[in-house]
Amino acid sequence: MKMHLMKKCLRAARINRLIQPIACALADDKPLEMDRDACMRVLEAAHPDTGRSAIWAERLPERKKSKIRLDVIVPAYNAEATLTECINSVLEQQTQYEFRLIVVDDGSTDGTLREMKELAAKDSHVRYLSFSRNFGKESAIYAGLENARGDFCVLMDADLQDPPSLLPEMYGYVKDGEYDSVATRRVTRKGEPKIRSFFARQFYKLMSRISKVDLVDGARDYRLMNRKFVNAILSMQEYNRFSKGLFGWVGFRTKWLEYENVERVAGETKWSFFKLFLYAIDGIVAFSTFPLIISAVIGVLASTLSLGYLSYVLVKKILFGDPVAGWASSVSVDLFIGGVLLFFLGVIGEYMSKIYLEIKRRPIYITRETNIDHPVLSK
Ligand code: UDP
Ligand code: MG
């Protein structure tokens, strides 16, 4: 049989698990007269590489039974100080899972990509995908999930703040289908500036009041999800992504694990206070229309008050002939109303800008290079 024909057949065999007829055809033997081992010998002799992959394919169901397929997604931005240590500690868990590590380089300007390539060269479990520029962690999460093929996916930061040692416990909750995802939250905010913790807590309180999604205080992005959960996340192709909200929005059964905050092993957080503030605004705009309602309510209140005050001034003038006094007070009221109007114009503008960005349908990320087989390059 010609080599390219044989490769084709083997590919079909891999899909249909029809190893025997091909081996028989190769050996010019009658079907059913060759047992499995004989088939394998013929296939391996004919073409060692493809023969081996046919054997691998045949054993796939056994392998599936013994090990789960897990994709660990690690977004990394200027993380050269911590990346290798992080990846190595995930690789130590290898014995229990059959997994791939998908490291997403979010347009780093340091040696992160070089480190990824070195890790990938040393260990075939490591896959990397590098963006054309910094698109943000949300895009990196999306790219990782989109390129994952495992039955389960894990999101993990590149700075060892998400302990890989929790993986077995996390898997324990999803393996029998009792839960669809296992999420983590830190119960302490050790090592974080007090003022930042305070504002973070206020943000979670506010979000739980003004939106329908359930945001958990201290929730990390460190999370294990089954395929159903991942597909639900991927079905939401919005450009303005706020994953913490999306995870809650899709529903499913989620188990929360708590752990003490772990300080990053090296390097610095990529989130300045201002970046976090903008992130919080994104979250509110993405999951709540409450600010718009508030603007309407304040508008109605202000009109009612001003009508009341107008009636009072008119009655006073007609009955008592008092001239209108107080230029300073009317100017300050004007200015106040002007300020409120501008503020709410800004709020409406924020929603409009999101619509504008959404309708352009630009890709969530653009890939510059990768070693993933058949990657999804951008969406
Ligand atoms: N990250 C990213 N793109 C960014 C900023 C951060 O991919 O623009 C990654 C970063 O490499 C890390 C994770 O997101 O793996 C969390 O970032 P960081 O540790 O700075 O956040 P923190 O833990 O302080 O919330
Ligand atoms: Mg971190």
Side-chain angles (χ1 to χ4, degrees):
M1 201 193 287
K2 288 214 173 82
M3 192 55 78
H4 76 275
L5 202 62
M6 189 186 114
K7 277 191 176 169
K8 238 181 180 172
C9 290
L10 281 172
R11 211 173 303 132
R14 250 192 307 231
I15 296 163
N16 301 319
R17 318 215 186 291
L18 298 172
I19 304 294
Q20 203 209 31
I22 294 160
C24 294
L26 277 173
D28 277 337
D29 211 336
K30 287 192 201 79
L32 304 176
E33 283 184 9
M34 280 169 84
D35 66 7
R36 185 182 160 280
D37 288 340
C39 290
M40 292 307 169
R41 272 197 302 279
V42 173
L43 287 171
E44 265 206 294
H47 191 268
D49 282 348
T50 36
R52 254 197 302 279
S53 61
I55 294 168
W56 183 85
E58 231 218 13
R59 290 188 186 150
L60 200 63
E62 289 167 35
R63 287 155 65 97
K64 254 193 159 174
K65 238 183 269 164
S66 60
K67 282 185 177 182
I68 56 153
R69 287 195 306 158
L70 192 73
D71 279 321
V72 182
I73 297 156
V74 184
Y77 175 57
N78 290 348
E80 73 172 337
T82 55
L83 188 69
T84 306
E85 197 179 334
C86 171
I87 301 300
N88 285 337
S89 62
V90 179
L91 287 170
E92 278 165 22
Q93 307 278 331
Q94 231 182 117
T95 45
Q96 304 186 41
Y97 317 100
E98 181 185 298
F99 68 84
R100 289 194 312 171
L101 260 149
I102 304 179
V103 199
V104 184
D105 164 37
D106 184 12
S108 303
T109 47
D110 64 357
T112 304
L113 180 61
R114 192 193 54 239
E115 296 234 342
M116 281 180 190
K117 287 184 175 170
E118 278 168 17
L119 287 162
K122 274 191 219 137
D123 196 309
S124 61
H125 294 94
V126 181
R127 299 280 193 281
Y128 64 85
L129 186 142
S130 176
F131 286 175
S132 59
R133 64 166 170 87
N134 179 239
F135 279 83
K137 186 181 177 187
E138 296 291 334
S139 303
I141 291 177
Y142 187 80
L145 290 176
E146 204 171 42
N147 282 286
R149 296 286 169 267
D151 309 309
F152 296 93
C153 293
V154 177
L155 295 178
M156 187 184 279
D157 280 5
D159 53 11
L160 281 169
Q161 279 191 298
D162 302 334
S165 53
L166 272 183
L167 278 174
E169 189 184 347
M170 290 166 92
Y171 176 60
Y173 288 106
V174 288
K175 71 171 192 279
D176 301 323
E178 190 189 351
Y179 290 98
D180 302 292
S181 93
V182 182
T184 54
R185 69 179 280 261
R186 47 186 183 173
V187 279
T188 54
R189 287 178 175 267
K190 199 176 70 186
E192 195 182 72
K194 290 237 159 24
I195 183 94
R196 181 182 285 211
S197 306
F198 172 76
F199 278 108
R201 283 210 182 92
Q202 298 313 312
F203 168 70
Y204 284 109
K205 266 193 202 149
L206 180 73
M207 275 302 271
S208 65
R209 289 213 182 108
I210 66 172
S211 81
K212 287 200 184 106
V213 286
D214 194 16
L215 280 193
V216 176
D217 185 9
R220 305 266 321 156
D221 286 333
Y222 187 28
R223 180 183 278 265
L224 191 153
M225 300 162 261
N226 67 11
R227 196 25 67 190
K228 275 184 279 180
F229 197 99
V230 172
N231 289 346
I233 296 291
L234 288 175
S235 70
M236 288 183 288
Q237 307 210 333
E238 58 214 70
Y239 181 79
N240 300 286
R241 303 188 72 77
F242 184 73
S243 289
K244 281 191 170 63
L246 297 179
F247 293 146
W249 193 89
V250 292
F252 291 106
R253 268 174 280 171
T254 297
K255 169 78 188 168
W256 284 92
L257 291 184
E258 296 183 344
Y259 68 94
E260 298 261 320
N261 189 33
V262 184
E263 288 187 47
R264 46 171 41 251
V265 284
E268 276 183 5
T269 176
K270 310 292 172 304
W271 297 88
S272 63
F273 192 80
F274 185 61
K275 252 185 156 181
L276 275 177
F277 175 71
L278 293 182
Y279 185 65
I281 299 283
D282 274 353
I284 293 172
V285 174
F287 283 94
S288 173
T289 49
F290 189 74
L292 292 175
I293 297 167
I294 275 288
S295 65
V297 169
I298 289 187
V300 171
L301 271 180
S303 319
T304 318
L305 276 177
S306 66
L307 275 178
Y309 187 65
L310 184 70
S311 320
Y312 166 73
V313 170
L314 278 178
V315 168
K316 219 168 125 192
K317 166 86 181 134
I318 292 161
L319 292 187
F320 309 105
D322 271 1
V324 181
W327 180 89
S329 57
S330 53
V331 165
S332 52
V333 169
D334 274 358
L335 285 178
F336 174 72
I337 299 292
V340 172
L341 279 178
L342 276 181
F343 175 73
F344 284 111
L345 258 182
V347 171
I348 296 165
E350 186 59 22
Y351 282 91
M352 271 188 58
S353 73
K354 298 288 178 217
I355 300 170
Y356 177 59
L357 289 172
E358 218 53 71
I359 57 162
K360 284 202 247 186
R361 302 210 58 78
R362 289 196 174 156
I364 294 170
Y365 63 94
I366 297 173
T367 306
R368 190 172 160 271
E369 57 178 301
T370 178
N371 71 342
I372 297 177
D373 320 311
H374 315 297
V376 183
L377 289 178
S378 66
K379 194 78 177 228

